[in-house]
Amino acid sequence: MTSTAHIVVLAASVRGERMGRVLADWAGTRVADRFATHDLIDLAECELPDDQLLQPGGGTKTAIADRLDTADGYVFVTPEYNHSYPGSLKRAIDWHYREWMFKPATVLSYGVQGGLLATEHLRGVFAELHMVTTRRVVGLHAPWYELGPTGYTAPEPVTKAFDMALGELDWWAETLRVARRDRPYGQ
């Protein structure tokens, strides 16, 4: 059964030599199997306004604001850089506020040790933005070893774990969509 939720997959790395987009493409195929619609936003292809224009609660409307706003939930594909997530992702998060509110997110992190410190740092940021982070997240340990000519080929346990995380994301997306519609939170 296909969910009616619209999910945004966000590729966080902007480095020239990166595998984030390859992993986001893989995640996008898994999302497409479960959800009616999805959108892939690659931060390497996005230009955000100058940070001097940033204000509490966001700032000037960005080129990706509407795409984020239409989402019922998010999949963040992020590397772990220096035991946290990249600055490019922090900028994208900070430039938006209302777009994230009362929506769920799951994290697909990667790195030498699976990138789970990036995930844990994101949980606190997401809570501040009224986002619900799924309990199930997936950390990819050295996924570059599973790269081939056609992209990333996930081991079966990784695919199973990610599909379980997407199941939880689906539940939260539907639950929070109904809540946003029927019982909007007084801001």
Side-chain angles (χ1 to χ4, degrees):
M1 183 167 85
T2 303
S3 170
T4 59
H6 175 69
I7 303 299
V8 165
V9 177
L10 196 133
S13 177
V14 298
R15 287 184 176 175
E17 294 289 325
R18 66 192 174 120
M19 63 178 310
R21 178 55 188 259
V22 173
L23 296 174
D25 288 339
W26 174 80
T29 63
R30 303 305 305 162
V31 167
D33 286 346
R34 181 176 201 104
F35 296 92
T37 61
H38 78 285
D39 186 8
L40 192 146
I41 297 175
D42 186 343
L43 292 182
E45 299 170 355
C46 298
E47 190 171 323
L48 295 173
D50 188 281
D51 283 350
Q52 289 182 333
L53 302 173
L54 189 59
Q55 300 172 4
T60 308
K61 188 172 183 176
T62 71
I64 61 171
D66 289 337
R67 292 168 68 189
L68 294 172
D69 195 39
T70 62
D72 294 309
Y74 308 96
V75 174
F76 289 85
V77 180
T78 185
E80 180 181 308
Y81 293 162
N82 301 318
H83 292 295
S84 194
Y85 56 94
S88 54
L89 180 53
K90 182 66 167 124
R91 284 193 78 230
I93 290 168
D94 288 350
W95 267 102
H96 305 90
Y97 183 74
R98 185 189 52 78
E99 294 86 352
W100 307 119
M101 292 179 75
F102 306 108
K103 295 179 184 177
T106 195
V107 182
L108 178 66
S109 61
Y110 60 95
V112 173
Q113 300 299 320
L116 293 175
L117 288 173
T119 298
E120 290 308 309
H121 287 181
L122 283 168
R123 287 182 191 273
V125 173
F126 290 165
E128 179 63 21
L129 297 167
H130 304 278
M131 292 175 72
V132 174
T133 309
T134 59
R135 182 191 151 284
R136 289 178 175 90
V137 295
V138 177
L140 304 177
H141 298 269
W144 40 89
Y145 293 122
E146 280 90 29
L147 286 181
T150 59
Y152 176 68
T153 303
E156 185 177 332
V158 168
T159 300
K160 183 177 180 180
F162 188 61
D163 287 347
M164 289 177 67
L166 292 179
E168 188 178 342
L169 182 68
D170 184 14
W171 187 87
W172 277 111
E174 179 61 27
T175 300
L176 292 174
R177 179 173 46 190
V178 169
R180 287 191 311 274
R181 181 191 67 216
D182 296 347
R183 294 187 59 216
Y185 181 78
Q187 302 164 7

